[in-house]
Amino acid sequence: MELKQLRQKSADELNSHLLELRKEQFALRMQKATGQLAKTHEARRVRREIARVNTLLGAKK
């Protein structure tokens, strides 16, 4: 998701998006551990988006 779209969300929406991202990160980690992860760049994308959401949540406080 783009930064502009993330900035428009409320803190509650960001928290729910963060929860979804963490679930996706867990699934990707499990795929990597079992050797089923084909798109290795997805893990990096999710990790960076989690960082973006955390930064925006900190700024909204």
Side-chain angles (χ1 to χ4, degrees):
M1 188 173 291
E2 290 192 21
L3 191 56
K4 288 180 183 180
Q5 294 171 337
L6 288 175
R7 283 190 176 135
Q8 293 173 353
K9 291 188 173 193
S10 67
D12 290 334
E13 291 172 328
L14 285 174
N15 280 324
S16 64
H17 186 61
L18 183 63
L19 183 62
E20 292 172 20
L21 287 171
R22 291 199 185 270
K23 287 179 183 179
E24 185 178 354
Q25 184 182 35
F26 179 77
L28 290 171
R29 273 200 328 257
M30 292 300 111
Q31 288 178 9
K32 182 180 178 185
T34 58
Q36 298 174 349
L37 184 59
K39 298 179 182 178
T40 56
H41 65 280
E42 287 295 317
R44 182 178 184 182
R45 180 194 58 81
V46 170
R47 190 174 68 239
R48 287 183 175 193
E49 192 165 344
I50 288 173
R52 283 187 192 105
V53 171
N54 281 330
T55 301
L56 288 173
L57 281 172
K60 288 191 183 268
K61 286 186 179 179

